[in-house]
Amino acid sequence: MIGLFDSGLGGLTVSREVLRQLPGYDTVYFGDTARLPYGSKSPEVIKRFAVQGTDFLLSHGAKAIVIACNTMSALATDEVRARAKGVPVFEVVSPAVQRAAAVTGGRVGVIATRGTINSNVYVEQMAAHAPKVKVHGQACPMFVPLVEEGMARRPEAASIANEYLRPLRLRKIDTLVLGCTHYPMLKSVIAKAAPGVRLVDPAQETVASLKRYLKENPKFAAGLSKTDAHKFFVSDLNPHSQKLASNWLGRDVLLQKASVENARALSR
Ligand code: DGL
């Protein structure tokens, strides 16, 4: 079972990639919709939530964990790894940095939550990986609510995107990392606001790295269940999210309500 978790439904962009790139593998998803957004919360709180999400996935039999959230990847990867005790953990930031470094002419923009931008994780990882590449970050706090409210195709989304991307256009970026797992849902709006700029989707890169790992570790891959079963849990549920989730994944999705508070007991 591959476990994925996010603050809300945005991590389903990563689940969608698992379905596409690794068809047949069973998955369990947890979206912490009751406590979304994470992007404006303090690192301490995000770390605590990330540990609870990890316990929840382990208690549901996850044998590999994907942190399907840039904010948690930026701020809590070490905590998730420590908690996962040997279960391999995949995060979304480094695969995106590697891809951006490979395709850019030298000017990369990163759009993300405030938490991710303030963590400086993209600037630091790029400096270590490709020191000549300049990275310009832009927090886009309105994007997550637009996506969670199913407003990605509304004209308001286009004008907000235009506003957020103006500073990056002025910096003449040639590549743009969609540094939040919700943002691929706004891909066409973002592409219009950044004409001629190459978009990097961390969801695609992360699942590609998981796929490589499975290929390089065939014994481990053989131990993962493969019955095309998928479970989706959220910490708060409304009929609206049920519909959105099914639309995004292009299949009927049954979201089930679950609490993460007592997951630790279950995972023991
Ligand atoms: N989807 C999350 C990310 O990738 C953030 C959304 C939120 O602010 O909770 O950063």
Side-chain angles (χ1 to χ4, degrees):
M1 180 94 76
I2 298 170
L4 305 99
F5 69 130
D6 179 38
S7 58
L9 299 179
L12 291 176
T13 57
V14 187
S15 295
R16 192 169 62 182
E17 280 303 317
V18 171
L19 293 173
R20 198 174 67 83
Q21 295 189 42
L22 292 168
Y25 282 98
D26 298 348
T27 65
V28 54
Y29 181 91
F30 174 67
D32 198 1
T33 47
R35 303 192 290 197
L36 174 117
Y38 282 11
S40 46
K41 294 191 168 66
S42 67
E44 294 67 38
V45 167
I46 291 163
K47 286 175 202 230
R48 178 155 55 85
F49 290 176
V51 164
Q52 289 176 340
T54 307
D55 285 345
F56 181 85
L57 292 179
L58 294 172
S59 74
H60 280 80
K63 298 281 179 269
I65 290 182
V66 182
I67 310 175
C69 170
N70 278 259
T71 310
M72 280 191 278
S73 296
L75 294 160
T77 294
D78 290 348
E79 285 72 10
V80 172
R81 289 222 161 100
R83 193 63 157 207
K85 291 199 189 88
V87 166
V89 172
F90 299 82
E91 44 80 39
V92 290
V93 174
S94 31
V97 168
Q98 280 161 28
R99 179 73 184 159
V103 299
T104 185
R107 288 169 176 271
V108 173
V110 176
I111 50 173
T113 64
R114 281 204 182 100
T116 300
I117 296 297
N118 291 344
S119 77
N120 233 11
V121 67
Y122 277 95
V123 174
E124 284 167 11
Q125 285 205 18
M126 190 62 88
H129 188 74
K132 287 200 177 126
V133 175
K134 292 245 168 330
V135 176
H136 304 285
Q138 173 70 42
C140 305
M142 299 281 285
F143 277 175
V144 168
L146 280 173
V147 169
E148 292 275 332
E149 287 303 316
M151 292 174 67
R153 287 173 206 276
R154 295 269 284 268
E156 294 87 336
S159 57
I160 291 171
N162 205 31
E163 204 51 44
Y164 278 148
L165 288 166
R166 192 191 311 274
L168 297 180
R169 285 197 302 268
L170 290 173
R171 302 271 192 180
K172 302 213 181 322
I173 57 158
D174 57 69
T175 302
L176 179 63
V177 178
L178 307 181
C180 169
T181 49
H182 283 72
Y183 297 177
M185 300 300 180
L186 291 162
K187 211 180 232 171
S188 58
V189 166
I190 292 167
K192 270 204 192 116
V197 170
R198 194 190 302 259
L199 302 185
V200 173
D201 178 350
Q204 286 171 8
E205 307 309 325
T206 300
V207 177
S209 77
L210 169 59
K211 192 173 175 179
R212 274 195 302 278
Y213 181 87
L214 296 183
K215 211 169 159 200
E216 287 159 10
N217 296 278
K219 256 200 196 145
F220 174 79
L224 291 177
S225 53
K226 225 178 156 184
T227 63
D228 203 14
H230 307 281
K231 288 185 194 155
F232 300 91
F233 296 97
V234 286
S235 51
D236 194 17
L237 183 57
N238 62 48
H240 165 77
S241 33
Q242 190 78 57
K243 218 168 106 193
L244 271 184
S246 300
N247 284 348
W248 289 346
L249 283 188
R251 56 163 75 190
D252 274 342
V253 168
L254 175 69
L255 296 179
Q256 303 179 61
K257 196 166 165 199
S259 159
V260 283
E261 323 284 348
N262 59 359
R264 179 111 205 261
L266 293 171
S267 74
R268 277 174 171 163

